[in-house]
Amino acid sequence: MTIIRQEDFITSISDALQFISYYHPLDFIRALTAAYEKEESPAAKDAMAQILINSRMCAEGKRPICQDTGIVTVFLRVGMDVRWDAELDVTAMVNAGVRQAYLDPDNVLRASILSDPAGKRINTKDNTPAVIHMELVAGDKVEVEVAAKGGGSEAKAKFVMLNPADSIVDWVMKTVPTMGAGWCPPGILGIGIGGTAEKAMILAKQACMQDIDIQDLLARGPENALEALRLELYEKVNALGIGAQGLGGLTTVLDVKILDYPTHAANLPVALIPNCAATRHTHFVLDGSGPALFTPPSLSDWPQITQQTGSAKRVNLDTLSKADVADWQPGETLLLSGTLLTGRDAAHKRIVDLLASGAGLPEGVDFNNRFIYYVGPVDAVRDEVVGPAGPTTATRMDGFTETVLAQTGLLGMIGKAERGPLAIAAIKKHQAVYLIAVGGAAFLVSKAIRKSRIVAFPDLGMEAIHEFVVEDMPVTVAVDSRGVSIHETAPKLWQSRIGKIPVVVE
């Protein structure tokens, strides 16, 4: 009989979450490096370079890979011969470990979890509670899988109840383009097939946590129907040409992982959950000998890459006008220096409400001829100006865009992924621009921020409006002042170049 001590279990959960916050899984680093080396799209190659550079910086500095440090998901397999030396129940112990990890003063992790989700949406301040899946199994050990899943990729989860004769491949190929780039490709597609609706979703989440091995499978060939399905989807999804960050390119997915379960004769449940470029998960086993130990990868496992900015245009944010941004072209690389403001969902809602009431913007908030950066940074530690501060998904602000552009004099926006039709129409109408920073390069971006202060809505925590002073912050023009979007043009171009899927001309 194995005795698991409460302290060992809590410490293991906490250490695992700290570990995965700054160490990419080694299989991901190897797969992304291989994709980077073969990539032919300059924009996608630069995005992958930034992700790899950021990853190494985080490993060296022990700081989060992404500012969105995720919602914690834990899968537990508890042996029936295990005894607990504990005062707390298992769920409470998991949440104690999460709390300890996210409040660690040496590496503060952003608390993103809100209680009362359909009501007041109040931040719990410590990223609890976790989502826990637990089963009792034979044996005398506790097996634990821990993941910290970012909201941007989780928001792109999809589910369908197909008819048994329907094609899973057809559904995936129809669905992936609708996901846009908000899930920060290149990453992994986790697919769950069978069971019931909720079982398929759980399978898809578990599939995301498997090792990347598609190149091995390509080399040896499939041995069963699921492996053949993986290979078919891997080839066809990459042939869509979506590419890194949706900028067009050869690699959209690094692997397609599939788990299945027996299902009812009348049903074919299929779930799809993407894992982003900040994939974070690990597995450990407790056998009563003490807390789990996590071995850091060697820095030699990361490629030696330097960011190429020689062709980038340097921009002074403090002197820009509409005439200046009118010449910017989709896909153009810029290095921003000067002052910008930040704001996410909650801040935009308050801004729009204030404008509607006639109250005007808070003191210190002036968007005239300014840029707003869609970001919720991690708290700073030690001598940092700000913690990791990568972009959040811009489409969540689409509904506010017309009002903000029309009433504040805002010149442009910075976020990640594509904009929807409403936002693009507003950008074109007001001759504004939309720029993207690389999702999954949060620590790298934060190093361009020289000063930071909160100027409005401090009660919103990470969603407060900050004023950043930046120097050479790397961005790409995604939507120009004429409303041309690189996320619409580039994937079509690369899909045509790859030539495996006919491009539909509208």
Side-chain angles (χ1 to χ4, degrees):
M1 181 179 296
T2 298
I3 297 175
I4 305 294
R5 297 172 61 242
Q6 174 175 301
E7 181 181 350
D8 292 342
F9 186 73
I10 292 174
T11 297
S12 299
I13 294 288
S14 178
D15 289 352
L17 289 167
Q18 278 286 314
F19 186 87
I20 64 176
S21 77
Y22 44 75
Y23 287 130
H24 264 127
L26 187 54
D27 60 300
F28 177 88
I29 293 299
R30 288 171 175 163
L32 186 59
T33 299
Y36 165 80
E37 289 172 347
K38 75 175 185 179
E39 185 56 68
E40 297 174 8
S41 163
K45 195 175 184 75
D46 178 66
M48 286 191 275
Q50 289 191 48
I51 293 168
L52 287 165
I53 293 167
N54 180 77
S55 179
R56 184 185 179 97
M57 288 172 61
C58 293
E60 291 173 330
K62 291 186 168 56
R63 291 294 274 145
I65 294 165
C66 180
Q67 79 288 340
D68 182 350
T69 52
I71 182 170
V72 177
T73 303
V74 180
F75 290 92
L76 297 171
R77 290 167 52 87
V78 181
M80 295 178 68
D81 293 329
V82 165
R83 292 289 300 274
W84 294 92
D85 178 8
E87 297 178 357
L88 300 175
D89 62 38
V90 175
T91 296
M93 284 190 285
V94 169
N95 286 323
V98 173
R99 187 175 300 111
Q100 182 172 301
Y102 277 73
L103 299 180
D104 187 327
D106 290 329
N107 181 41
V108 178
L109 304 179
R110 196 184 81 184
S112 301
I113 303 307
L114 309 179
S115 63
D116 192 17
K120 293 183 178 180
R121 295 177 67 84
I122 300 169
N123 198 300
T124 63
K125 306 295 186 183
D126 58 11
N127 224 58
T128 65
V131 176
I132 304 168
H133 304 279
M134 183 164 27
E135 58 180 320
L136 289 175
V137 298
D140 60 356
K141 295 178 176 61
V142 177
E143 297 180 36
V144 185
E145 285 183 294
V146 178
K149 189 71 160 55
S153 59
E154 191 72 358
K156 302 301 180 180
K158 305 293 182 182
F159 173 79
V160 67
M161 189 65 79
L162 295 176
N163 292 316
D166 291 339
S167 166
I168 294 172
V169 172
D170 287 350
W171 177 75
V172 172
M173 293 302 293
K174 179 179 69 175
T175 300
V176 169
T178 70
M179 291 160 47
W183 61 281
C184 287
I188 300 160
L189 293 185
I191 297 175
I193 302 171
T196 52
E198 80 283 2
K199 180 64 175 180
M201 294 300 289
I202 291 170
L203 290 169
K205 181 61 67 66
Q206 287 180 294
C208 287
M209 299 166 71
Q210 294 184 325
D211 289 342
I212 297 172
D213 64 354
I214 197 74
Q215 299 305 321
D216 294 337
L217 180 55
L218 282 165
R220 68 168 170 81
E223 297 176 352
N224 54 53
L226 278 191
E227 289 185 346
L229 181 59
R230 283 180 61 197
L231 290 178
E232 182 177 1
L233 287 172
Y234 174 76
E235 179 178 1
K236 288 185 174 180
V237 170
N238 281 325
L240 289 170
I242 295 168
Q245 305 291 300
L247 294 170
L250 301 178
T251 301
T252 302
V253 291
L254 300 173
D255 203 341
V256 177
K257 310 297 293 191
I258 306 175
L259 292 175
D260 67 352
Y261 195 85
T263 194
H264 192 283
N267 301 146
L268 181 56
V270 183
L272 188 158
I273 300 179
N275 220 5
C276 65
T279 182
R280 292 167 296 219
H281 59 86
T282 192
H283 174 270
F284 62 88
V285 177
L286 297 178
D287 59 5
S289 61
L293 300 177
F294 301 94
T295 303
S298 169
L299 288 178
S300 64
D301 292 321
W302 276 265
Q304 291 289 347
I305 298 174
T306 56
Q307 192 175 356
Q308 304 298 315
T309 59
S311 61
K313 177 189 295 183
R314 282 186 158 78
V315 172
N316 184 345
L317 291 168
D318 298 327
T319 61
L320 279 179
S321 67
K322 279 195 184 298
D324 295 319
V325 305
D327 293 331
W328 295 354
Q329 302 294 317
E332 188 175 7
T333 302
L334 309 175
L335 295 174
L336 306 181
S337 296
T339 305
L340 54 80
L341 297 172
T342 75
R344 285 170 40 111
D345 316 51
H348 274 75
K349 177 65 166 61
R350 287 197 184 178
I351 288 168
V352 169
D353 287 347
L354 286 170
L355 292 172
S357 71
L361 298 177
E363 184 179 351
V365 178
D366 182 1
F367 289 118
N368 191 48
N369 280 346
R370 294 288 186 189
F371 274 73
I372 190 168
Y373 182 27
Y374 302 150
V375 63
V378 177
D379 289 345
V381 299
R382 298 182 288 277
D383 60 348
E384 290 179 343
V385 171
V386 67
T392 197
T393 306
T395 48
R396 299 202 313 274
M397 270 55 73
D398 281 5
F400 304 114
T401 301
E402 166 61 30
T403 299
V404 174
L405 288 178
Q407 298 190 41
T408 69
L410 187 71
L411 198 57
M413 300 143 283
I414 307 167
K416 76 170 184 182
E418 71 286 345
R419 303 308 298 263
L422 282 177
I424 292 175
I427 291 167
K428 181 179 180 180
K429 175 182 175 181
H430 297 285
Q431 298 178 331
V433 290
Y434 168 60
L435 316 175
I436 60 167
V438 173
F443 197 36
L444 176 64
V445 171
S446 73
K447 294 307 178 184
I449 302 168
R450 302 303 189 218
K451 295 180 182 179
S452 171
R453 67 185 181 98
I454 293 176
V455 294
F457 313 144
D459 60 298
L460 294 180
M462 62 94 175
E463 293 208 62
I465 295 181
H466 295 70
E467 181 186 81
F468 286 169
V469 177
V470 301
E471 182 178 342
D472 287 347
M473 176 180 171
V475 295
T476 300
V477 179
V479 181
D480 69 10
S481 61
R482 294 166 291 279
V484 179
S485 169
I486 193 171
H487 289 105
E488 294 179 356
T489 59
K492 291 178 181 178
L493 172 64
W494 282 91
Q495 183 175 323
S496 176
R497 287 187 181 181
I498 294 168
K500 295 180 179 179
I501 299 176
V503 178
V504 177
V505 180
E506 299 177 353

